[in-house]
Amino acid sequence: MSLATQEEKDKFLQEASRHLDIDKWGDFLLRWGKALETYSTPVSILEGTGYDNEFKVNFSGKDWGFVRLIPGSGWNMRRALMAKQPPFFPAKNIEEYDAKLVLNDEVQGKCFMCENIAQGIDAKDNPSIDNVVFELGKYFITPGRYPRDPGHCLWVPVDHDDNSKRVVPQEGNKLYIPEEGKTRGALITPQELEAIVKFCQENHFIAARNHVLDGMSVPAHDHWHLHIIDLYSYDLAPHVLDQANSWTLTKGVYIPKNTPFDGLVITQDASGFSGMACNVINNLEKDNQVFTLLIYKDRIHISPRKNIHDHRRIQIGAEMQIHSLDDPNPGEAINRIKQYVPMQNEFNWQQYLDYSD
Ligand SMILES: [Zn+2]
């Protein structure tokens, strides 16, 4: 299936209507599908795949609700598509791009995120390769190459990470201890956080960020996964919005009780929301903690992992904190969660919270 003819577009929208209101999302999805095809990924990768939002998992003697991915026929295409991903050839020399890119670096090799950015910039001269669905100055939003639901995108900064402030994981180096003054993940600025929260609120997305030691597959180029907030079966509201039963630490900052896991939620009611949230996030990073992030409506969820030293194997990713299991083998995923995710009251937040704006 491709989107070259009206018949194909209709078929794609019919498939997508299992997930979304096509009257509201159809135009966007066609733009998104066209952009996806520039990666040689057909929109049929989504065929049959969906979510079960009534999945229960027992933690500490109680059943908790999860949203579980159910792979369809399209899911099986992923491995073959990954294996035959066509090479990207930038149209210009690297110094001609208005972005700090790593394309064919002697030391760093190439970066898929930078290739996405270069392709997006090249599309100004060659619209047939236009992979950008939103362009926001220092950020591009492109489809994920192997999406798991319609509209699944990546929020990608146009500049490759400033590695002078970080160590970059080497394959096989599981301990991955930072040098003095460096961190393991990119530091997030209040400006970026504000930009992504604003984008999500205005355009009806949620954003999830994996950690470089938990599921971030291109760890040297910070990025977030975006999913449309309206997906029918991917209803996270019961898991992330119910704060009636929570421990409030200070105005707009609380620890949710509607989950078996420890986590911190900072809402826009908090004093100096983005500054406070970045302070906590960056304090965690500087203390070598591993954590994932979720932006949902007016709040950011921070979900820690246990600080044990074989983190490269976690592969849970940010979705866990929103009770989403997107591993085709949920039993295996649940075992990893039980091993690596602190349960309520296990994580000490207080030392990361000191902040005055
Ligand atoms: Zn890059």
Side-chain angles (χ1 to χ4, degrees):
M1 181 160 52
S2 74
L3 298 174
T5 67
Q6 190 58 45
E7 193 185 346
E8 289 163 332
K9 289 176 186 169
D10 290 344
K11 190 174 174 215
F12 167 53
L13 292 180
Q14 175 70 30
E15 172 70 14
S17 71
R18 295 191 298 116
H19 301 270
L20 285 161
D21 177 356
I22 292 307
D23 288 340
K24 179 177 176 186
W25 286 100
D27 289 345
F28 171 77
L29 287 179
L30 287 173
R31 197 152 53 86
W32 173 86
K34 278 293 198 193
L36 179 66
E37 288 181 338
T38 70
Y39 296 133
S40 300
T41 302
V43 291
S44 53
I45 192 170
L46 297 172
E47 273 176 6
T49 293
Y51 295 100
D52 162 15
N53 62 2
E54 306 206 346
F55 190 63
K56 299 273 192 268
V57 183
N58 193 287
F59 284 90
S60 312
K62 187 179 168 189
D63 281 340
W64 300 88
F66 276 74
V67 177
R68 178 173 65 115
L69 183 127
I70 304 168
S73 56
W75 191 263
N76 301 324
M77 300 165 71
R78 301 165 78 85
R79 208 167 282 274
L81 284 168
M82 286 174 197
K84 65 170 190 188
Q85 189 64 229
F88 171 76
F89 299 102
K92 292 186 274 220
N93 291 324
I94 190 163
E95 59 272 14
E96 294 174 71
Y97 287 97
D98 187 20
K100 293 186 196 113
L101 302 178
V102 171
L103 293 175
N104 249 323
D105 188 83
E106 277 183 22
V107 179
Q108 299 179 79
K110 64 177 181 175
C111 166
F112 281 111
M113 298 290 162
C114 285
E115 289 189 343
N116 289 358
I117 298 294
Q119 181 175 333
I121 295 171
D122 288 348
K124 291 187 174 70
D125 301 319
N126 179 6
S128 73
I129 60 166
D130 189 1
N131 64 338
V132 180
V133 287
F134 289 98
E135 189 179 338
L136 300 156
K138 296 304 280 178
Y139 308 101
F140 278 13
I141 294 170
T142 62
R145 281 170 189 251
Y146 313 106
R148 57 172 216 219
D149 45 60
H152 181 183
C153 288
L154 299 177
W155 165 283
V156 189
V158 300
D159 292 327
H160 194 83
D161 286 1
D162 177 0
N163 292 331
S164 67
K165 295 178 182 141
R166 307 185 37 190
V167 284
V168 177
Q170 305 294 317
E171 209 51 55
N173 177 5
K174 291 200 289 276
L175 292 178
Y176 184 21
I177 305 291
E179 300 162 45
E180 181 67 29
K182 293 193 174 185
T183 69
R184 297 189 291 201
L187 295 180
I188 298 175
T189 64
Q191 292 76 22
E192 174 175 16
L193 189 62
E194 277 165 30
I196 192 164
V197 169
K198 182 167 183 278
F199 171 83
C200 287
Q201 288 180 341
E202 289 179 354
N203 296 285
H204 307 278
F205 281 85
I206 66 167
R209 179 183 182 263
N210 297 329
H211 192 270
V212 293
L213 293 188
D214 184 2
M216 189 181 274
S217 56
V218 186
H221 199 137
D222 200 37
H223 58 281
W224 299 66
H225 287 264
L226 302 173
H227 300 277
I228 295 174
I229 205 167
D230 298 340
L231 292 168
Y232 297 140
S233 58
Y234 194 59
D235 183 7
L236 305 172
H239 306 303
V240 299
L241 288 183
D242 172 18
Q243 56 180 290
N245 233 341
S246 62
W247 291 281
T248 299
L249 301 182
T250 180
K251 182 170 173 270
V253 180
Y254 65 92
I255 293 175
K257 280 189 189 174
N258 58 337
T259 162
F261 312 117
D262 210 338
L264 188 75
V265 177
I266 303 175
T267 76
Q268 283 179 315
D269 286 341
S271 167
F273 165 70
S274 59
M276 174 191 272
C278 284
N279 185 63
V280 174
I281 292 166
N282 294 334
N283 283 345
L284 287 164
E285 197 58 69
K286 287 173 184 166
D287 194 37
N288 299 327
Q289 297 294 339
V290 176
F291 56 91
T292 60
L293 303 173
L294 168 78
I295 292 169
Y296 190 97
K297 298 200 171 176
D298 66 339
R299 61 203 60 204
I300 181 162
H301 283 236
I302 304 173
S303 172
R305 303 292 178 258
K306 290 181 187 173
N307 208 350
I308 45 183
H309 283 309
D310 56 349
H311 277 131
R312 294 305 305 278
R313 296 187 202 145
I314 296 185
Q315 294 296 323
I316 299 168
E319 278 78 14
M320 188 287 309
Q321 80 204 74
I322 46 181
H323 295 230
S324 157
L325 296 170
D326 65 347
D327 193 314
N329 182 352
E332 178 56 34
I334 291 161
N335 285 339
R336 285 197 304 276
I337 288 170
K338 286 183 170 169
Q339 189 180 353
Y340 288 114
V341 182
M343 298 284 119
Q344 280 182 1
N345 297 316
E346 268 190 72
F347 195 80
N348 178 3
W349 289 105
Q350 207 54 51
Q351 60 185 305
Y352 303 110
L353 282 170
D354 298 329
Y355 178 71
S356 58
D357 69 307

